[in-house]
Amino acid sequence: MNFRIASILLFVLFISCKQENIEVSTNEEKVAIIPIPDQILKKDGYFSITEKTNFFCNDEELKTLATFFIEKIEKSIGVTLGHTEDKKDNSIHLAIDENLSIGEEGYHFFSSKEEVTITAKTPKGVFYGLQTLLQLLPTDPSQGAKIPSVEIKDSPAFDWRGMHLDVSRHFFSIDFIKKQLDVLALFKINKFHWHLTDDQGWRIEIKKYPKLTEISSVRQNKDKTIHKGYYTQEQIKEVVAYAKERFIDVIPEFDTPGHAVAILEAYPELACEKKDFKVRNLWGVESNILCAGKEETFSFIGDVVSELAALFPYEYFHMGGDEVPKDEWKKSLHCQNVMKKENLKDVNELQSYFMKRVEDILKSHNKKMIGWDEILEGGITPTTNIMSWQGEEGGIKAANAGHDVIMTPSKYVYLNFYQGDLKVEPMAFGGYIPLETIYNYNPIPKEIQEDKRKHILGAQANVWTEYADKDETIEYLLYPRIIALAELTWTSSEKKDYKDFLSRLNNVYPRLDKKQINYHIPLPEGPTSDHIVFTDSVEVSFKTTHPVKMVYTVDKTDPNGNSTEYTKPILLKEDTDLSIASILPHGKMSKVRRLLIRKQKLLKSMNLEKVSSGLQMKVVKGYFQTVTEAEKTIPQNTVIINNLKDANKTYDWGHKVNDDNFRAVFLEGYIEVPEDEVYYFSSTQDQVWIGDQLLINHNDAVRKHPKENSIALQKGKHKLKIIYLNTITQCWATDWNTVELKYRKASEEEYQAVGERMIFH
Ligand code: ACM
């Protein structure tokens, strides 16, 4: 879609920029490996790869690796290497040395004019040495296939270097997953946590329970569109085999006892009270969960786990345990009976009982259980492992008590969060984790006792997909932040250096281009609205989340590598169409921001004889997805509201979105502003009109965050109209945004709510 068109344009620009000699960071000057190796010594000279270069190894596993990398090198620089079992000149020697004093994943890499040698204790170590070799190849093969002479001793700081993907909220194909695994391997990520089940969809074939795929994998969204998909067991085997080739363990998550209503639509007998359940079609957490008081639940879990355990041949297995509303358990006789029998004092202890039984099932398959940190609330068994997501506290408590922990605190490593200004970036979940925040994350908080640090297995970046339904969106969220995660888990914290990481990233971007990865390039931030109004003159200034060159035009053309570089605030006195983009050193550009900067006369205020406070509100019940559709039904009866917030509260149907209270709301009256000024308005409502101008328009798209716009107003009263739809697009509820309109003077930074003293009718 627009990303794709942008990529084509960017590619064309990339080629033209290269001809203009934009500075390209190459390994001619710099060894730029990510994650940065533990020890690296750069020497003079190069090893040249030619058609005569061979991989030299005898071991069968190493020969397989050689074949794998012959293809990678061919793709990267267009040279096809051979393989030899006898040492020859100009060879890349791969060897296992079990006596090497290095960890299981470590390797030694030595390159000189004559040869390259990669030695490790294990094939996995050699694989990582070869990934390092790939990053030492030139990004531009026309510079010659040379590898700088270096000596590297490398091994990771942490065993768990993970990425998680939620395929329940939105389903992603195995081809997409394989594409990501291939890229993750380049950065030595070694765990893929596959979130396969949730309230909004079950995504894996279980032969004993066919309704899980017939029913639980199909979601009818609120807008009647269908979202469905699941992986067959054969597809799972294919992904696991593909990941294994890249030394990535695939850790399945079967989320229990909550996040399970998709199961209940197919098998309602697994709930405490049988109801007409549906695969959840609204984001958020479902209160209907698996019953802890019924033996059928544990038989079901046992059966499912026995099929899954055969598919995922790894020691760890994730059983969820997060966000479990326990009201159904409190009401249930089944649960009360079990609580009495097991002497459990509350429903948190009941969850502990539940998780212990689940862990026993896993143990019978020789699996170690991981659970989200909520399961600490009622106590855990000594062998339970914790994934700490709500913060670091759960992980700290668990590690200090001797449990193994994987750190995934949402504040630092949730990649569904924004990586730049939410008013400028495409829609994401919420939150804010720019590249530097994740890079600087240290998985070992200082509160962990010295002798307990070994319990921190590592860290993982999680991608939840409520607000990400396309392949290119996932890639945009992942890269380059997951590359920062790779470095923070591989490289010891004292060796990390953000500035240096950024410069090494420049060597990585062209490699991501070759793999057609839609990575994030910082957008020009600063103005939060693309429409800027002024009366005399205006200064527009830009910044980016991390340093990158910006270029702009004022002649309605798109900027390119030859356009004016942005170096300081731009002073404007006339109407201007300003187009600005960021440009990476190798010439690839970000999306272009187009700003309409307009000189305006103050809009004259209205001379009103008699007004009363508050706005007129008209409400019509119904499910509308567009304002045009809703406008055909504007009702006659009017209520007065004194405060914008009352637009929700005064309405009988209550505040919560459900199938009964979809509605369209029309507010009309006047807004009074205190001074002659340019005002900025900000709102999540579908439309906000001032005077006769449609100032804010969400264009019927999902309204997750406010939009802004500016207008020059004379002191006094102006016509005001607000339209909003209480609706859901797919599973995206607009009502999660309460009714609000905020304003600020152009000269001020902070917005404030349009209060009751400012509205009239
Ligand atoms: C989670 O984010 N609910 C683990």
Side-chain angles (χ1 to χ4, degrees), residues 259 322-323 372 389 414 464:
H259 289 282
D322 58 325
E323 299 177 315
W372 298 109
W389 78 275
Y414 265 35
W464 300 96

Side-chain angles (χ1 to χ4, degrees), residues 243-259:
K244 191 159 185 276
E245 246 189 318
R246 287 155 183 77
F247 294 89
I248 297 174
D249 296 357
V250 184
I251 313 300
E253 182 181 350
F254 168 16
D255 206 345
T256 63
H259 289 282

Side-chain angles (χ1 to χ4, degrees), residues 708-719:
E708 292 180 19
N709 204 349
S710 50
I711 185 167
L713 297 176
Q714 191 184 39
K715 171 180 157 65
K717 295 189 181 62
H718 298 268
K719 260 203 297 191

Side-chain angles (χ1 to χ4, degrees), residues 484-692:
L485 187 283
E487 183 142 311
L488 77 91
T489 49
W490 182 278
T491 306
S492 56
S493 62
E494 66 275 11
K495 291 217 168 78
K496 284 194 311 175
D497 177 338
Y498 181 59
K499 247 175 105 177
D500 185 62
F501 171 74
L502 290 180
S503 87
R504 282 177 286 123
L505 258 189
N506 290 333
N507 189 272
V508 159
Y509 290 126
R511 300 179 202 280
L512 297 182
D513 288 333
K514 274 201 187 121
K515 292 177 183 285
Q516 288 163 346
I517 293 291
N518 179 47
Y519 52 88
H520 173 259
I521 300 174
L523 294 170
E525 299 182 356
T528 46
S529 162
D530 289 342
H531 188 218
I532 297 173
V533 162
F534 65 98
T535 48
D536 300 314
S537 68
V538 67
E539 204 174 65
V540 202
S541 58
F542 294 92
K543 59 185 178 185
T544 49
T545 48
H546 52 267
V548 53
K549 182 170 157 181
M550 290 180 270
V551 284
Y552 70 94
T553 62
V554 289
D555 62 0
K556 298 190 169 66
T557 63
D558 278 353
N560 61 37
N562 296 324
S563 304
T564 312
E565 182 172 358
Y566 173 84
T567 53
K568 60 176 193 314
I570 306 166
L571 182 70
L572 297 166
K573 296 188 170 168
E574 302 300 333
D575 284 4
T576 307
D577 288 12
L578 188 136
S579 301
I580 184 161
S582 306
I583 179 164
L584 294 175
H586 73 297
K588 183 160 173 172
M589 297 182 71
S590 74
K591 202 171 72 177
V592 176
R593 273 196 82 185
R594 294 185 180 78
L595 289 100
L596 303 182
I597 301 162
R598 294 289 178 264
K599 189 164 184 157
Q600 244 180 30
K601 290 206 172 74
L602 295 174
L603 180 67
K604 284 208 164 17
S605 53
M606 300 176 77
N607 234 334
L608 299 167
E609 293 282 288
K610 206 169 149 226
V611 287
S612 309
S613 55
L615 293 177
Q616 292 186 331
M617 178 171 80
K618 293 179 177 177
V619 181
V620 58
K621 198 172 170 177
Y623 180 80
F624 305 103
Q625 278 212 281
T626 66
V627 169
T628 315
E629 208 186 308
E631 273 178 330
K632 291 183 191 143
T633 64
I634 301 180
Q636 293 307 307
N637 53 323
T638 298
V639 191
I640 304 300
I641 54 157
N642 290 318
N643 198 312
L644 275 169
K645 286 198 185 111
D646 295 341
N648 259 335
K649 274 193 276 181
T650 53
Y651 201 59
D652 296 350
W653 302 321
H655 184 70
K656 209 164 174 291
V657 171
N658 58 42
D659 291 347
D660 297 331
N661 74 354
F662 292 132
R663 60 196 190 271
V665 180
F666 304 88
L667 301 169
E668 272 193 72
Y670 307 98
I671 180 167
E672 185 171 73
V673 294
E675 282 171 42
D676 291 358
E677 251 283 20
V678 171
Y679 288 88
Y680 275 76
F681 288 89
S682 162
S683 181
T684 46
Q685 268 52 83
D686 296 72
Q687 293 189 355
V688 176
W689 296 72
I690 294 201
D692 292 324

